[in-house]
Amino acid sequence: MSGLAVTHLRLSHFRSHRRAVVDVDPRPVAITGPNGAGKTNLIEAISYLSPGRGLRRAQSGEVARKPDQLGWKVVAHLGGGARLNELETGADGTATRSVTIDGKAATQTALASVVRVLWLIPAMDRLWIEGAEGRRRFLDRATLSFVPGHADASLRYDRAMRERNRLLKDMVRDPHWYGALEQQMADAGAEVQANRRACLAALAAAQDDAQTAFPAATLTLADTGDVSAVDADALLDAFRDGRGRDMAAGRTLSGPHRTDLDAVYADKGVAARECSTGEQKALLISLILSNARALADEQGHPPILLLDEVAAHLDADRRAALYDEICALGAQAWMTGTEAGLFDALGARAQYLTVTEDNGESCVTTETGEA
C-alpha cells in the first residue's frame, strides 16, 4: 500500500531552525544528532500539518525562533502516487496561526482532509500512570484522525460547559438560564462519546486483524464522574439532576469531559498501569500502529508517523520488528534518535538526516541512501 508522504519540507524561523529545507522520498526518515540539536523541532513542524497545537501542544507564538520573534512558517509538499498538495501554516509574529492548502486559505480542520498525522513522543510514556487528562487527550487525537469533525463537537461542548460553569460559580438558580446551555452540552457530548466509541471499535478491529510483534490492548471508556450516559437525552437529564451538586463545587462534575481511557494488556489480563515500563511502551506503539492500519484501510493509504526517540526504548529485536511493520504498512515514519546505530535494521529501506547545532542554530544534512 502506497502512503502519502512529505516530499519537501521547508521551515522558516521555527524554534531552533532559522531556515531548513529537506527533500525526501516516501521511505521512512531516520533523524539523528546530539541532544538539543533540533531533531524533535523538525518533526514538531510536521505535526503542524494536522489540526491542533502540534506534538508539544505549544501555543503558536511559542514556536517562533528566539530572539528573532519574526513569526514562523512551515511549508510541505505531499506526494503519493499522482497526488501532490502544498500545505503552508505559520504565524506572522502574532499568536494567530494561518493555514493555506494549495494556495487557498483554509481552516485547521481542513488539514485532516488532506493528510492524517499520528505521533508518539517520550512525554506520552507515562500515559497509563498519570492523570486522566493525558489519556483523554490521547483518545481524542486518535478519534480526530478518524473523524475530523470531532474537534468541532468537542469545542461546542467545551464552550457551553464554560458558560454553565460561570452560572454555577455565580450561584445562579433560575433553571431558564441553564436550559439552552445544557441542551448544547448534551447534543455535543453525545456526539463526542459516539465518536470516541467508534474510534475504539476501529482500533480493536485493527488489532484483531494484525499479525504483530507488539501486544494488543483492550480499551474501554470510563467516566471519572458518575455519568455513564452517552445519548443526548440521558446526558441532559444528568446535567439537570446534577445542578445542585455542581453549584456547590462551582463546576460541572460529570460528563464527557471526565471520561477516562482504561487499557488492559490483553494476553496477560493486566491493567496497563500495572505493567512494566517496557510493556507500557509496547502497548503505546501497538496502539499507534493499530491507528495507522485502521486509517490505511479507511483512507486507502497510511498516515504519516512521527516517532520521537522511539528506538531508544526498544531492544534490537523490537526495533527491527517496528521497522518491519512500518515498511509493511507503507507509511512514511519520521523517527529521531541520538545514535545512527539505532536505525541499522532499516538499512536502505530508509533515508537519513543528521541535525547538528551551530551557535544556537540547527543545521540539517541529508543522506538519501539507495531506494
Side-chain angles (χ1 to χ4, degrees), residues 16 24 32 36 56 77 122 176 181 202 257 284 335:
S16 58
V24 290
T32 59
R56 283 187 173 122
H77 295 173
H176 293 92
L181 291 174
H257 65 290
L284 277 173
M335 298 171 284

Side-chain angles (χ1 to χ4, degrees), residues 99-335:
V99 173
T100 63
I101 299 176
D102 297 329
K104 298 179 180 179
T107 64
Q108 289 187 36
T109 303
L111 289 168
S113 67
V114 180
V115 62
R116 308 294 170 90
V117 184
L118 306 179
W119 56 75
L120 184 59
I121 62 175
M124 296 161 65
D125 288 353
R126 298 179 60 82
L127 185 74
W128 308 118
I129 58 177
E130 292 189 338
E133 181 180 0
R135 289 185 292 275
R136 191 161 50 245
R137 189 180 306 122
F138 177 84
L139 170 61
D140 283 334
R141 282 295 315 177
T143 303
L144 182 64
S145 74
F146 294 106
V147 187
H150 182 67
D152 292 333
S154 299
L155 184 60
R156 293 197 305 273
Y157 179 86
D158 289 342
R159 284 175 173 169
M161 183 176 66
R162 284 197 296 269
E163 292 299 318
R164 183 178 187 268
N165 287 347
R166 188 173 293 112
L167 295 177
L168 295 169
K169 290 178 182 178
D170 291 343
M171 304 294 286
V172 175
R173 299 184 182 276
D174 187 341
H176 293 92
W177 286 92
Y178 291 91
L181 291 174
E182 289 172 346
Q183 186 66 63
Q184 291 172 33
M185 289 176 64
D187 291 341
E191 184 177 346
V192 166
Q193 293 294 73
N195 292 341
R196 288 168 171 170
R197 281 177 162 75
C199 170
L200 295 190
L203 294 180
Q207 289 186 109
D208 290 343
D209 295 341
Q211 296 293 325
T212 176
F214 293 90
T218 302
L219 302 175
T220 55
L221 297 185
D223 196 325
T224 56
D226 61 359
V227 177
S228 58
V230 294
D231 64 276
D233 290 340
L235 281 172
L236 183 59
D237 289 342
F239 294 140
R240 288 170 175 167
D241 294 343
R243 284 177 196 162
R245 182 192 62 174
D246 292 350
M247 189 175 293
R251 67 186 190 281
T252 304
L253 293 175
S254 61
H257 65 290
R258 298 292 302 277
T259 293
D260 198 355
L261 177 65
D262 285 343
V264 173
Y265 190 130
D267 286 346
K268 294 186 175 183
V270 177
R273 64 180 176 275
E274 297 173 0
C275 291
S276 69
T277 301
E279 288 172 334
Q280 290 178 1
K281 184 71 174 187
L283 287 170
L284 277 173
I285 294 173
S286 177
L287 289 174
I288 294 295
L289 291 172
S290 296
N291 197 164
R293 284 192 293 269
L295 284 172
D297 289 341
E298 178 184 283
Q299 301 290 316
H301 55 79
I304 292 172
L305 302 178
L306 309 177
L307 306 176
D308 191 22
E309 299 290 349
V310 67
H313 301 277
L314 303 175
D315 60 32
D317 290 341
R318 274 278 171 82
R319 286 199 297 271
L322 172 61
Y323 303 152
D324 287 346
E325 293 200 28
I326 290 170
C327 292
L329 185 60
Q332 187 188 52
W334 295 68
M335 298 171 284

